[in-house]
Amino acid sequence: MMQNIHTLVQQLRQPGARVSVGVWFFPMMYLGREEDISVSLNVEPLDARQAYLEHLPEGAKHSGLRTRHAHEKLFEFIHSVGNTTYTRNCVLVHTFDLLLLGMEVDAREHFWNSALALPYLRTKLVIALPENARYLLSNSSRFISQIAEGLL
């Protein structure tokens, strides 16, 4: 059985922890309540879709997530979020499934292999995905220690 979200957050926040990014498959009933959930986890909420769009170069007409370099663009975004200082040292990155949905399976896999291996970020990241979106992380067995599931 996978760990719960509290254990994952605690693991990411350990002093000197090499792992900086985790994934939480949350129950569908939490959809739209990410801000409240962030408060109860004592982490900062971040609407990934909104932040990604703000991260695009001025005048960009497309997200770049349907190109063969999509994984690089998304990785660069996650890396910049992780190297930003927030009030709390951990961020719940929600609406991320909306960014992953348009990507090719191979690009998603490249993204996860890079993002879940990111060491020593200033801010730890929990990428929150609805439990019915498990297919967005196809190589999950490799990162089992960085994945949480279930209720708060």
Side-chain angles (χ1 to χ4, degrees), residues 58-122:
E58 189 149 341
K61 301 249 186 286
H62 305 284
S63 68
L65 295 177
R66 292 194 184 273
T67 68
R68 50 169 234 232
H69 300 293
H71 62 283
E72 294 168 12
K73 292 183 183 317
L74 205 52
F75 176 79
E76 183 186 300
F77 167 68
I78 280 297
H79 192 262
S80 75
V81 171
N83 280 314
T84 301
T85 304
Y86 291 88
T87 313
R88 298 179 183 99
N89 65 346
C90 190
V91 172
L92 183 72
V93 183
H94 60 93
T95 67
F96 202 76
D97 52 315
L98 301 177
L99 299 177
L100 292 169
L101 277 170
M103 292 173 69
E104 296 290 326
V105 174
D106 287 354
R108 274 201 304 260
E109 204 153 315
H110 284 302
F111 166 75
W112 287 120
N113 287 333
S114 303
L116 291 173
L118 267 171
Y120 308 116
L121 291 176
R122 182 176 298 150

Side-chain angles (χ1 to χ4, degrees), residues 4-51:
N4 69 39
I5 183 58
H6 295 282
T7 307
L8 177 62
V9 169
Q10 194 174 21
Q11 174 187 312
L12 292 172
R13 283 182 158 160
Q14 286 294 318
R18 190 182 182 309
V19 171
S20 295
V21 181
V23 177
W24 176 36
F25 289 108
F26 64 87
M28 292 303 294
M29 65 185 185
Y30 291 170
L31 206 54
R33 296 187 37 222
E34 293 87 356
E35 305 269 330
D36 297 336
I37 288 164
S38 296
V39 171
S40 63
L41 288 172
N42 192 28
V43 299
E44 198 99 8
L46 178 76
D47 181 331
R49 189 178 152 276
Q50 188 61 44

